[in-house]
Amino acid sequence: MNKKISLGLALSLVFIAAALSVTITMSVSMKIYNGIIKDVSARSNLYSSIAEIDDIVRENYFGDINENLLGTMMSDGYAAGIGDRYSYYMTAEEYSDYLDEVKGNKGGIGVIAVYDSVNNNIYVSEVSEGSPAQLQGISKGDVITAVDSVAVTAGNYNELIAKLDGERLTEVQVTFEHGGESKTVSVARGYDAQSVYYSANGSVGYIKLTSFYSTTAEQLKNALKYMNSNSVTSIIFDVRNNADGIVRYAAECLDILVPVGTEGTGAIATAVDRDGQATQTFTSDSDSVNYAMTVLVNTGTSGAAELFACDLRDFGMAQLVGVQTAGNGTMQNVFELSDGSALVLTVARILPYRSESFNGTGLKPDYTVELTAEQNGRLPMLTFDDDPQYQKAFELLSNR
């Protein structure tokens, strides 16, 4: 049955609705306005302070001002000033190098080198396949005694290691010991970066992931092919001291290993912004692998590597061995600036497949195995027999 209302009542309802609309609109507008005014006030104070310092310097400074350096340091200082250690500024040159590395194009000769304080030399802990170093006969376990005819010492090893990672398309002279024989070779810099290293110890495979970049997933596939052809039934993943890489590429590696997600949103990772809104999700398909797994972690396991370890455990595919991880559960985006430089900025918190966020807390391993201070310092040089964390992981998989 239809009910009629009077014209007066209808007009009253219209006026009330209009008043409510205006009230709500004014309330929202005031909030936006107050936010803008607050932001303008903060910016004004900041710019006034910088302008005041700039005026004093330009009127009174005795020396010459390097405008490029000043601009770089101001940009760097702003990024540092927000108090987030995962956000930082890159010069145009640094940004270009960063893009090359993300794409798998790297300067250097293709070794992971660490200083051995006991023997006073540079120890080669890994050599990338097909790298200039490998082509010149440098192998894992070799020691570098001199770079460009300068002998390695406790005072210069950082500088010499930096020379090994120099500009692409240049050369460096390396003196190294291999099989008891000393050799000196000229090695070109520049190679396709390797972030996945692998081997097998009987039926137990070992895959070390040093970073997560655009080429990592394909390299992981090659490592799994090797495992399959060598009758491996279980795998130890090593992400200790892996603090380099991008969440998206860690998700690509996880997609190779885990089945399709079914819990919650089904996402293997979700990026949540400061307002609590999901801004990006990473999913997996139905393809997966059938290996028993453990993951080696330590305080140097950070960011994308923590997500990798956490998700493998969340899917019930792996246990973690080692010590508490870094607790960096955030995601960064890169914003290119008009002069070719760039800002890396934390834009979201990452939620793993099933667990709560590990940001600020880190991942607690299923089996805590500490290394001594000496073992930690020599971790890249430890053999499997000398590495208690590896030994525990091997024991867990061997007893299955």
Side-chain angles (χ1 to χ4, degrees):
M1 182 175 65
N2 294 327
K3 292 185 178 180
K4 295 183 179 180
I5 60 174
S6 68
L7 177 61
L9 178 58
L11 289 172
S12 297
L13 290 174
V14 169
F15 289 142
I16 290 171
L20 282 173
S21 176
V22 170
T23 302
I24 293 169
T25 302
M26 285 297 293
S27 176
V28 172
S29 297
M30 283 300 292
K31 286 182 179 179
I32 295 172
Y33 176 78
N34 289 337
I36 292 173
I37 292 301
K38 181 180 178 182
D39 190 46
V40 168
S41 177
R43 285 187 176 190
S44 178
N45 290 337
L46 175 64
Y47 297 157
S48 294
S49 178
I50 292 173
E52 186 177 4
I53 293 171
D54 190 54
D55 287 342
I56 293 171
V57 170
R58 293 185 186 280
E59 289 179 12
N60 299 282
Y61 179 53
F62 177 76
D64 296 325
I65 297 173
N66 183 327
E67 299 291 350
N68 288 334
L69 177 61
L70 179 61
T72 296
M73 295 304 291
M74 287 179 66
S75 300
D76 191 54
Y78 188 101
I82 65 176
D84 174 31
R85 60 178 173 156
Y86 304 114
S87 298
Y88 57 93
Y89 170 79
M90 292 184 286
T91 65
E93 183 178 0
E94 290 169 339
Y95 182 45
S96 177
D97 290 342
Y98 169 86
L99 289 176
D100 279 341
E101 190 163 358
V102 168
K103 295 172 185 175
N105 304 319
K106 196 171 175 67
I109 65 173
V111 299
I112 297 179
V114 293
Y115 177 62
D116 182 355
S117 59
V118 174
N119 298 301
N120 196 37
N121 56 40
I122 295 172
Y123 179 84
V124 179
S125 65
E126 296 289 353
V127 179
S128 294
E129 293 181 12
S131 66
Q134 187 185 62
L135 295 176
Q136 289 291 350
I138 300 175
S139 304
K140 177 179 179 178
D142 289 350
V143 295
I144 295 172
T145 56
V147 178
D148 282 342
S149 300
V150 178
V152 177
T153 69
N156 69 8
Y157 70 88
N158 276 326
E159 177 187 343
L160 298 186
I161 289 176
K163 281 192 172 186
L164 300 177
D165 286 329
E167 278 187 55
R168 293 170 63 86
L169 306 179
T170 60
E171 287 192 349
V172 62
Q173 190 180 77
V174 179
T175 301
F176 67 102
E177 293 181 358
H178 177 85
E181 181 183 353
S182 181
K183 300 179 179 180
T184 299
V185 294
S186 290
V187 189
R189 297 184 180 104
Y191 66 103
D192 292 334
Q194 186 173 346
S195 54
V196 182
Y197 300 87
Y198 49 91
S199 60
N201 187 359
S203 63
V204 179
Y206 172 79
I207 299 178
K208 178 160 71 174
L209 299 155
T210 59
S211 58
F212 290 97
Y213 287 135
S214 63
T215 54
T216 304
E218 196 59 38
Q219 291 178 24
L220 177 58
K221 289 178 182 178
N222 291 335
L224 293 172
K225 288 177 183 176
Y226 170 88
M227 300 299 156
N228 187 53
S229 63
N230 283 272
S231 302
V232 163
T233 58
S234 55
I235 297 174
I236 298 171
F237 285 102
D238 189 348
V239 291
R240 292 175 295 182
N241 296 329
N242 180 340
D244 221 4
I246 297 172
V247 167
R248 172 160 55 104
Y249 299 131
E252 286 181 3
C253 290
L254 285 164
D255 183 27
I256 296 168
L257 302 172
V258 304
V260 64
T262 57
E263 302 227 358
T265 63
I268 57 178
T270 306
V272 178
D273 68 13
R274 63 186 179 185
D275 297 322
Q277 300 299 311
T279 59
Q280 196 169 357
T281 57
F282 304 90
T283 58
S284 58
D285 58 26
S286 58
D287 294 336
S288 62
V289 298
N290 186 28
Y291 294 102
M293 303 175 191
T294 55
V295 185
L296 302 180
V297 296
N298 67 1
T299 55
T301 303
S302 178
E306 288 180 278
L307 173 65
F308 179 84
C310 185
D311 267 12
L312 285 183
R313 181 163 65 179
D314 277 358
F315 272 90
M317 299 179 71
Q319 294 178 306
L320 310 189
V321 176
V323 295
Q324 194 99 353
T325 62
N328 172 20
T330 60
M331 185 178 81
Q332 288 69 40
N333 282 350
V334 181
F335 298 87
E336 185 173 345
L337 306 180
S338 58
D339 64 352
S341 60
L343 177 67
V344 176
L345 187 67
T346 297
V347 295
R349 182 166 52 103
I350 289 296
L351 298 180
Y353 174 56
R354 188 174 64 187
S355 296
E356 296 294 323
S357 168
F358 50 80
N359 190 45
T361 59
L363 303 172
K364 183 179 180 181
D366 300 287
Y367 296 89
T368 298
V369 180
E370 302 272 359
L371 298 184
T372 65
E374 182 181 355
Q375 287 170 332
N376 261 319
R378 296 177 60 82
L379 181 58
M381 295 173 273
L382 295 180
T383 65
F384 290 158
D385 291 337
D386 297 328
D387 185 344
Q389 292 171 340
Y390 173 89
Q391 286 296 316
K392 180 61 178 180
F394 186 87
E395 173 194 329
L396 290 170
L397 295 176
S398 299
N399 291 337
R400 289 180 66 91

